[in-house]
Amino acid sequence: MSLWFGKHLIKPAVTFLRTELSFALVNRKPVVPGHVLVCPIRLVKRFKDLMPEEVSDLFSTVQRVSAAVEKHFGGTSLTISIQDGPEAGQTVPHVHVHILPRRTGDFEKNDTIYEILHDHDKEADSEKWRSEEEMAAEAEQLRKYF
């Protein structure tokens, strides 16, 4: 079943986990290998507008996905981030949590990741986007953890 991420229709092939209230998908333009998103199923623009049960399910899902992504991509740490509102860098008006597996030296300055994350989807250059096939293959690999 397809799901909505803001105004984007997300095909089942690029999702790898669905719970009662949340879903996880691979990123079309990952900042680092393994950069994925976890979203509530209900389209909610801001974190404050989630219902308590959605917050609980969202963060339980983030915890599960984080463990799988860190293991699968050989990370030793994680950056977990929510950009809540346009001034915070949110480019899709649908609550979503970024999960990025991290390794020593992946960025010269650790906090550079936040600058890149802030700007990464603002470029309309679709040449940098991964193909549906690439995304589906990664989602298939991640599904095995659930």
Side-chain angles (χ1 to χ4, degrees):
M1 177 170 110
S2 295
L3 298 161
W4 289 96
F5 175 48
K7 65 179 181 177
H8 306 284
L9 184 63
I10 304 300
K11 296 178 182 174
V14 302
T15 63
F16 58 90
L17 177 62
R18 181 176 175 166
T19 66
E20 182 182 351
L21 300 173
S22 303
F23 68 100
L25 69 150
V26 299
N27 199 316
R28 69 179 177 181
K29 187 178 164 191
V31 171
V32 295
H35 176 186
V36 300
L37 305 174
V38 178
C39 312
I41 292 172
R42 184 170 69 97
L43 200 161
V44 178
K45 291 181 182 182
R46 298 290 307 277
F47 185 77
K48 67 181 179 184
D49 297 323
L50 291 171
M51 296 181 296
E53 58 272 18
E54 289 172 312
V55 172
S56 178
D57 188 83
L58 181 70
F59 277 96
S60 292
T61 304
V62 166
Q63 188 176 44
R64 291 176 63 200
V65 168
S66 294
V69 165
E70 187 172 16
K71 180 177 181 178
H72 186 76
F73 289 94
T76 54
S77 296
L78 296 162
T79 293
I80 299 171
S81 176
I82 298 175
Q83 295 163 294
D84 192 29
E87 292 76 22
Q90 183 184 35
T91 56
V92 176
H94 185 155
V95 172
H96 55 286
V97 180
H98 294 263
I99 302 172
L100 301 97
R102 301 292 305 275
R103 293 185 195 91
T104 300
D106 54 4
F107 292 93
E108 188 175 326
K109 288 175 48 185
N110 186 52
D111 285 351
T112 300
I113 195 163
Y114 298 110
E115 295 169 22
I116 294 170
L117 197 55
H118 181 270
D119 294 332
H120 88 290
D121 271 343
K122 291 183 179 173
E123 300 172 20
D125 186 1
S126 61
E127 289 179 19
K128 296 181 181 178
W129 295 350
R130 297 191 297 168
S131 70
E132 291 274 338
E133 293 78 20
E134 290 172 302
M135 294 169 61
E138 183 173 294
E140 181 64 30
Q141 291 174 344
L142 291 172
R143 269 187 219 108
K144 295 173 185 174
Y145 291 91
F146 305 100

